[in-house]
Amino acid sequence: MTPSFNILGLAAAVLIVAPLLSASPTGVPGVEVVQTRKITAWDGCSKSNKAKLEKDFKNAAELAQYAHDHMKMTDKAWTHYFRAKDEKNVKNLWDAVAKYEANDYSFTVRCAAKDDADCKVHGGSSFAATDPKPEEKGKPRELKVCPKYFTDEATKQSMDAKKYEPGKRGSWCKLAPYKFKDFSVGGLVLLHEITHLDAVGIKAKLPNMKQPAQAGSGASQYVDEGHSPRDTIEPWQNAESTAAAALEKWVMDKCKYDDIEV
Ligand SMILES: [Zn+2]
């Protein structure tokens, strides 16, 4: 399944500013702390929006950590998106998102205004946009969050909105029929965005792919299917695949599902 960007209404070039999160406990077994990404600046964010984003950045790291630690090449959450030979690059990327250490990479976050050009693309359906260009003179790139992020069904909830309890009423684990969008959270979008950061691609030691896309000339070159000809990008380069596979793995394990429809 490719619940891509388009379904989520994400902008093509969503760039994440790499914030270093401070250590915080997570619900993932074996993970003592998830670094709070180092966000070197918060621009234009209200107190409540910043609190929501901090929670969602932590969720993004949890999803990445879980996928890195538990994804098997035979999992549907994997085969829906990737080939076996994509394992190294994708897992390295999840690892970089989940385990970066302070000062390994940074980014800035901007809560953009409704009339921001990056938020108005695609009829105003963008949740976020990240600047994927290589850093210049060590200046962190910006991850921009659009107003829609805070109100849309696909992003306004964080993972702690409900519990993941199989068969329990009111939990995330709905009874069939259910679709991928039923599990969408803000952290999914932020995970997608973070992978656009060139600094993260460098951290993940991704091959330096020459792409015709908007993503500049850096290491990650993480692009969005739908914004580049499909045959010009490798599966592991699709930002939405990396994020969606991680969330699918999480939900399928927690809810004990055999599969999740698009
Ligand atoms: Zn993107």
Side-chain angles (χ1 to χ4, degrees):
M1 48 182 287
T2 50
S4 46
F5 243 42
N6 300 335
I7 288 172
L8 293 173
L10 297 175
V14 174
L15 299 179
I16 281 191
V17 176
L20 297 173
L21 303 177
S22 47
S24 46
T26 83
V28 182
V31 180
E32 294 176 8
V33 298
V34 172
Q35 298 289 341
T36 304
R37 286 142 290 242
K38 183 172 182 182
I39 298 173
T40 59
W42 292 85
D43 298 312
C45 298
S46 67
K47 196 173 174 184
S48 63
N49 284 356
K50 184 182 174 190
K52 155 73 170 163
L53 288 170
E54 285 178 328
K55 185 188 291 188
D56 290 352
F57 277 119
K58 179 169 170 286
N59 285 172
E62 288 172 329
L63 291 173
Q65 181 78 67
Y66 188 82
H68 171 270
D69 291 350
H70 300 286
M71 185 73 84
K72 297 184 184 71
M73 301 305 98
T74 52
D75 286 339
K76 283 182 177 160
W78 180 265
T79 59
H80 282 157
Y81 303 94
F82 301 114
R83 308 158 300 191
K85 66 181 180 180
D86 298 321
E87 180 177 16
K88 181 163 166 258
N89 287 333
V90 175
K91 288 204 165 177
N92 282 350
L93 188 66
W94 282 330
D95 191 47
V97 171
K99 283 185 172 165
Y100 54 89
E101 297 176 0
N103 300 320
D104 274 358
Y105 62 86
S106 302
F107 58 99
T108 62
V109 174
R110 175 176 299 281
C111 293
K114 200 167 59 179
D115 60 356
D116 185 283
D118 288 329
C119 298
K120 285 165 74 176
V121 297
H122 306 308
S125 61
S126 286
F127 290 138
T130 302
D131 184 350
K133 292 190 291 297
E135 292 180 5
E136 291 172 3
K137 296 175 182 168
K139 186 170 181 288
R141 292 296 176 180
E142 184 175 81
L143 191 166
K144 187 180 288 181
V145 181
C146 297
K148 183 181 174 70
Y149 179 94
F150 300 102
T151 58
D152 196 272
E153 289 298 324
T155 44
K156 71 179 185 182
Q157 295 194 94
S158 301
M159 285 164 57
D160 66 355
K162 294 176 267 190
K163 292 184 175 175
Y164 293 87
E165 296 176 313
K168 286 275 181 64
R169 189 188 305 268
S171 90
W172 278 113
C173 303
K174 297 180 65 169
L175 299 179
Y178 44 79
K179 291 183 177 296
F180 183 85
K181 65 178 178 58
D182 296 328
F183 310 103
S184 188
V185 290
L188 171 70
V189 170
L190 296 187
L191 176 52
H192 173 129
E193 294 304 310
I194 288 172
T195 65
H196 283 309
L197 285 172
D198 187 68
V200 173
I202 291 170
K203 180 69 184 170
K205 296 183 167 59
L206 296 182
N208 190 346
M209 303 290 289
K210 295 296 182 193
Q211 288 295 332
Q214 71 282 358
S217 57
S220 79
Q221 299 288 352
Y222 245 58
V223 297
D224 297 317
E225 191 176 312
H227 297 284
S228 302
R230 185 177 281 245
D231 62 359
T232 65
I233 66 172
E234 296 288 328
W236 57 265
Q237 287 183 285
N238 186 343
E240 185 58 18
S241 293
T242 315
L247 180 63
E248 267 194 49
K249 174 63 176 170
W250 175 272
V251 172
M252 288 176 73
D253 282 8
K254 300 294 178 185
C255 294
K256 303 194 187 310
Y257 291 150
D258 292 327
D259 202 358
I260 295 175
E261 298 297 319
V262 174

